[in-house]
């Protein structure tokens, strides 16, 4: 805050959020410290870059008015967001009951015995979205430690769920494997029994063939070869 004998100006510098290709605005307040009507005028070193509303007017005694400064959009950001632009606020005592229509440029010309106050305000660019510091507590009143503990609890719950699913899947897979092994064992035992039965029948045929011809017949040899092939295939499958 700065001021003289006529006006008090707040703030002492104009801080404008800077974002490429976007306008930004800020406000300053002029407070009349006197019992007189005070005329004011706002100038800038870069009139094409800024819009000031109102850029001139009258502040009634013991009153405050707000002025809006709007910066036009920039195509690119200056290095390190440095700005050399400045504003000049001029003020002078006006006639009682004066309005904006009564203000002329000559009122702010300096002359002997005429008190024209001037204050310079510099422009400061600030990042539009600055990184926020880590708060000790969130808006809901939960501390970061509570958030960490909550995240750990959620991670633990997720791990338990995944582990449970894996165990269930493994159990189901083991059950299926047991069923397959049991089925193969059953088929193997059945094949062994069939082979035993075929051997018995073969032995019976061999005895009958010896009684009839005293040797092996062609049909007997074919049956033996066929049984050998079947037995070998069964053993290979199991």
């Amino acid at each position: 805050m700065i001021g003289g004998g006529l006006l008090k100006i707040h703030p002492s510098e104009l801080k404008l959020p800077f974002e490429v290709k976007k306008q930004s605005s800020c406000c300053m307040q002029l407070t009349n410290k006197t019992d007189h009507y005070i005329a004011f005028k706002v100038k800038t070193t870069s009139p094409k870059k800024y819009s000031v509303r109102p850029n001139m007017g009258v502040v009634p005694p013991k009153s405050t008015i707000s002025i809006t400064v709007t910066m036009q959009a920039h195509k690119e950001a200056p290095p390190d967001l440095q700005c050399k632009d400045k504003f000049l606020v001029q003020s002078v005592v006006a006639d009682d009951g004066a309005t904006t229509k009564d203000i002329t440029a000559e009122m702010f010309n300096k002359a002997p015995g005429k008190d024209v106050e001037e204050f310079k305000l510099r422009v400061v660019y600030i990042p539009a979205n600055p990184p926020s510091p880590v708060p000790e507590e969130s808006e809901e009143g939960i501390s970061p430690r509570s958030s960490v503990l909550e995240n750990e609890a959620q991670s633990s719950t997720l791990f338990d769920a995944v582990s449970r699913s894996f165990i269930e899947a493994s159990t189901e897979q083991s059950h299926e494997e047991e069923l397959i092994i049991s089925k193969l064992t059953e088929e193997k035992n059945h094949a062994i029994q069939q082979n035993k039965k075929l051997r018995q029948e073969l032995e019976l045929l061999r005895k009958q063939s010896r009684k009839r011809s005293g040797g092996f017949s062609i049909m007997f040899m074919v049956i033996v070869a066929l049984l050998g092939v079947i037995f070998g295939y069964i053993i290979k499958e199991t």
Side-chain angles (χ1 to χ4, degrees):
M1 182 182 299
I2 57 177
L6 302 180
L7 294 179
K8 182 172 61 177
I9 303 173
H10 178 78
S12 58
E13 59 185 15
L14 300 179
K15 296 182 179 180
L16 288 163
F18 188 93
E19 189 171 359
V20 177
K21 297 181 181 180
K22 285 190 178 182
Q23 290 185 346
S24 63
S25 301
C26 69
C27 292
M28 64 175 171
Q29 293 181 333
L30 306 182
T31 301
N32 186 350
K33 301 166 58 178
T34 72
D35 296 325
H36 305 285
Y37 284 78
I38 303 298
F40 71 88
K41 186 176 183 179
V42 182
K43 297 180 180 180
T44 177
T45 55
S46 302
K48 292 183 178 180
K49 291 171 57 177
Y50 303 95
S51 172
V52 182
R53 294 291 183 272
N55 64 340
M56 65 171 60
V58 176
V59 186
K62 306 297 183 180
S63 299
T64 300
I65 68 168
S66 294
I67 297 175
T68 301
V69 177
T70 302
M71 180 177 65
Q72 304 303 318
H74 287 59
K75 293 183 180 180
E76 58 183 12
D80 299 326
L81 291 182
Q82 295 298 316
C83 180
K84 297 181 179 180
D85 300 333
K86 291 181 175 62
F87 279 78
L88 176 67
V89 179
Q90 296 177 304
S91 59
V92 66
V93 176
D95 296 333
D96 290 345
T99 63
T100 303
K101 296 179 180 180
D102 301 321
I103 298 176
T104 62
E106 291 75 15
M107 293 177 63
F108 301 96
N109 293 335
K110 295 181 179 180
K114 187 177 182 180
D115 186 13
V116 178
E117 285 188 349
E118 293 183 345
F119 294 98
K120 293 181 180 179
L121 290 77
R122 71 188 188 98
V123 177
V124 177
Y125 293 156
I126 58 177
N129 298 308
S132 58
V134 178
E136 293 184 0
E137 293 188 358
S138 63
E139 294 181 358
E140 290 77 8
I142 301 175
S143 64
R145 179 177 177 83
S146 298
S147 299
V148 171
L149 293 176
E150 182 179 354
N151 292 336
E152 290 180 354
Q154 292 177 352
S155 300
S156 178
T157 302
L158 179 60
F159 178 78
D160 291 342
V162 173
S163 300
R164 194 181 307 112
S165 299
F166 179 78
I167 293 173
E168 292 176 354
S170 300
T171 303
E172 183 177 355
Q173 183 177 2
S174 300
H175 182 65
E176 292 179 354
E177 291 177 352
E178 290 177 358
L179 290 177
I180 294 174
I181 293 173
S182 177
K183 184 176 181 181
L184 291 175
T185 302
E186 183 179 351
E187 291 179 353
K188 181 178 179 179
N189 292 335
H190 179 71
I192 293 174
Q193 292 178 359
Q194 291 293 326
N195 182 53
K196 185 176 181 181
K197 184 178 180 180
L198 289 174
R199 285 178 177 275
Q200 291 176 353
E201 293 179 354
L202 179 59
E203 184 67 23
L204 180 61
L205 290 173
R206 185 185 301 172
K207 290 180 180 180
Q208 293 177 355
S209 177
R210 286 177 178 177
K211 290 180 180 180
R212 293 177 181 177
S213 59
F216 292 99
S217 64
I218 296 176
M219 181 61 67
F220 177 77
M221 294 177 66
V222 171
I223 292 174
V224 171
L226 181 60
L227 290 176
V229 172
I230 293 174
F231 180 74
Y233 176 78
I234 291 174
I235 296 300
K236 182 179 180 181
E237 288 296 324
T238 56

